[in-house]
Amino acid sequence: MASKNQTLGEFIIENQSSFKYSSGELSRLINSIRLAAKVVNHEVNKAGLVDIIGAAGDTNIQGENQQKLDVYANEKFIQTLTNRNIVCGIASEEEENFITINSQDENHQNKYIVLIDPLDGSSNIDVNVSVGTIFSVYRRVTPVGTPVQLEDFLQKGSQQVAAGYIVYGTSTMLVYTTGDGVNGFTLNPAIGSYYLSHPNIKFPENGTIYSVNEGNYIHFPQGIKNYIKYCQKEEGNRPYTSRYIGSLVSDFHRNMIKGGIYMYPKSSKSSNGKLRLLYECNPMAFLAEQANGKASDGFTRIMDIEPTELHQRVPFICGSKNMVNKAEEFMFAAK
Ligand code: P6P
């Protein structure tokens, strides 16, 4: 049983026997993410002090202005995962194609792949608002001993073996699941260790916070418009409070602790919404369900969606179970 103030290393060792696959490799994988997160955290925390912020001048494959810290975080996570010789492939929001890792694994014996959003919400860096890293882990499905293939990455979210995020906020936290609940670890920067601060996190079934960019209201589907008006109605414990940081990891984390719902719907401006299925929605959906929450596209469970492309977008509704159910009621009623 997890005990508060246990270090992340102690927790991984104590719980690796509960992991149904070869736990040693996954433990090493989580440890490599832990290390990369510390290195990125150090740069994020001094972003305002050095000439590392501001556009790198490039744009990433999403056509978004690429911040230098995006590039740095992407490189650090790829480098750390590669050096630890644990994964056979990596996909990243910052990379157009997946990366085959065979530097030391020339026989392609490693079994895991990682999909990552190295620095989500990076447009917030210049204004000192929380940002985050999101990761998703699968076992490869193509034969061990052969180079990793695209189909290894295009797996349903229900096949994930681990998922988590690092939130670089007022404190830096690593929150992850391996399918046996969700646990949060807070970094003590003075000694560089993470301590179990939030054991067995659960979404409250109900909440009074809704998170959506209401600037897009007129472009939303009617069901979402109707649900937002429901949130704003004077009745019972409504109107709810609107809280939107513009950083998925931060909005998700707050809602998981306090109860709430996050929505990034499709709109007339973006036919599938903005968020990416494989390295944003699926890992957050895995965490949500492991914390007794729920995640859908308004109609279908996120982790049941069959991926077709590495960077595909899906509409995303995620949070307290009863709030997501109510939003889905409005979506189905307006269908
Ligand atoms: P908008 C950040 O770019 C992000 O992917 C999420 O972290 C965040 O919730 C969303 O996009 C913000 O998008 O269009 O509301 O600015």
Side-chain angles (χ1 to χ4, degrees), residues 134-149:
I134 307 171
F135 64 90
S136 174
V137 183
Y138 293 83
R139 290 170 67 82
R140 69 178 300 176
V141 292
T142 55
V144 172
T146 64
V148 71
Q149 304 291 328

Side-chain angles (χ1 to χ4, degrees), residues 8-53:
L8 175 55
E10 290 162 349
F11 180 87
I12 289 173
I13 291 165
E14 186 178 284
N15 291 278
Q16 69 181 5
S17 56
S18 69
F19 183 61
K20 60 186 176 185
Y21 298 109
S22 58
S23 50
E25 287 171 299
L26 186 72
S27 298
R28 284 169 47 219
L29 202 164
I30 300 294
N31 274 314
S32 63
I33 287 172
R34 168 177 71 165
L35 172 61
K38 269 198 281 194
V39 174
V40 171
N41 174 64
H42 180 69
E43 292 304 321
V44 167
N45 283 347
K46 65 179 187 177
L49 300 175
V50 296
D51 179 32
I52 195 167
I53 59 174

Side-chain angles (χ1 to χ4, degrees), residues 22-313:
S22 58
S23 50
E25 287 171 299
L26 186 72
S27 298
R28 284 169 47 219
L29 202 164
I30 300 294
N31 274 314
S32 63
I33 287 172
R34 168 177 71 165
L35 172 61
K38 269 198 281 194
V39 174
V40 171
N41 174 64
H42 180 69
E43 292 304 321
V44 167
N45 283 347
K46 65 179 187 177
L49 300 175
V50 296
D51 179 32
I52 195 167
I53 59 174
D58 304 333
T59 56
N60 65 15
I61 60 128
Q62 324 291 346
E64 294 163 345
N65 216 3
Q66 196 155 6
Q67 307 273 346
K68 287 178 184 174
L69 217 42
D70 275 352
V71 176
Y72 179 84
N74 188 51
E75 288 167 3
K76 279 300 157 199
F77 277 96
I78 290 172
Q79 177 189 52
T80 309
L81 287 165
T82 302
N83 294 346
R84 289 292 179 92
N85 191 25
I86 308 156
V87 297
C88 54
I90 300 173
S92 168
E93 179 175 53
E94 303 296 337
E95 305 284 341
E96 185 160 3
N97 300 307
F98 64 84
I99 301 168
T100 301
I101 307 294
N102 52 17
S103 51
Q104 303 159 46
D105 178 26
E106 67 280 357
N107 301 317
H108 309 290
Q109 294 305 305
N110 292 336
K111 302 179 189 64
Y112 293 101
I113 62 149
V114 175
L115 297 106
I116 194 161
D117 184 354
L119 209 60
D120 180 72
S122 55
S123 57
N124 288 318
I125 293 167
D126 293 356
V127 293
N128 205 20
V129 170
S130 300
V131 292
T133 297
I134 307 171
F135 64 90
S136 174
V137 183
Y138 293 83
R139 290 170 67 82
R140 69 178 300 176
V141 292
T142 55
V144 172
T146 64
V148 71
Q149 304 291 328
L150 180 60
E151 70 181 286
D152 291 307
F153 297 91
L154 299 184
Q155 298 184 54
K156 283 185 184 179
S158 54
Q159 298 307 303
Q160 292 174 97
V161 294
Y165 58 80
I166 298 95
V167 52
Y168 310 101
T170 46
S171 62
T172 296
M173 279 192 72
L174 169 60
V175 179
Y176 80 96
T177 182
T178 56
D180 189 22
V182 177
N183 292 284
F185 299 82
T186 299
L187 178 66
N188 178 341
I191 54 176
S193 293
Y194 293 86
Y195 289 89
L196 181 60
S197 52
H198 296 70
N200 198 24
I201 308 174
K202 296 296 178 194
F203 258 106
E205 288 210 335
N206 298 293
T208 57
I209 295 170
Y210 71 102
S211 309
V212 65
N213 183 343
E214 295 191 55
N216 298 324
Y217 178 86
I218 59 169
H219 304 292
F220 285 153
Q222 192 56 49
I224 292 291
K225 289 180 178 176
N226 296 343
Y227 179 65
I228 290 172
K229 289 306 168 199
Y230 168 84
C231 293
Q232 296 169 342
K233 191 173 169 52
E234 289 274 5
E235 195 175 274
N237 57 358
R238 288 174 284 122
Y240 294 157
T241 297
S242 172
R243 286 284 184 276
Y244 190 69
I245 299 170
S247 173
L248 168 61
V249 168
S250 304
D251 281 314
F252 178 97
H253 187 74
R254 181 209 49 245
N255 290 349
M256 183 164 63
I257 304 292
K258 295 195 168 191
I261 187 170
Y262 171 96
M263 298 180 282
Y264 208 102
K266 71 178 186 179
S267 72
S268 47
K269 290 196 303 182
S270 49
S271 58
N272 286 314
K274 175 182 183 182
L275 301 185
R276 311 295 179 165
L277 173 61
L278 292 182
Y279 42 78
E280 291 174 329
C281 299
N282 270 335
M284 302 313 271
F286 190 18
L287 289 162
E289 291 195 6
Q290 284 291 312
N292 285 347
K294 187 171 182 180
S296 83
D297 65 2
F299 303 102
T300 305
R301 179 186 181 228
I302 287 289
M303 295 210 287
D304 286 343
I305 295 174
E306 194 72 54
T308 53
E309 293 166 30
L310 208 49
H311 301 288
Q312 79 184 74
R313 302 174 194 267

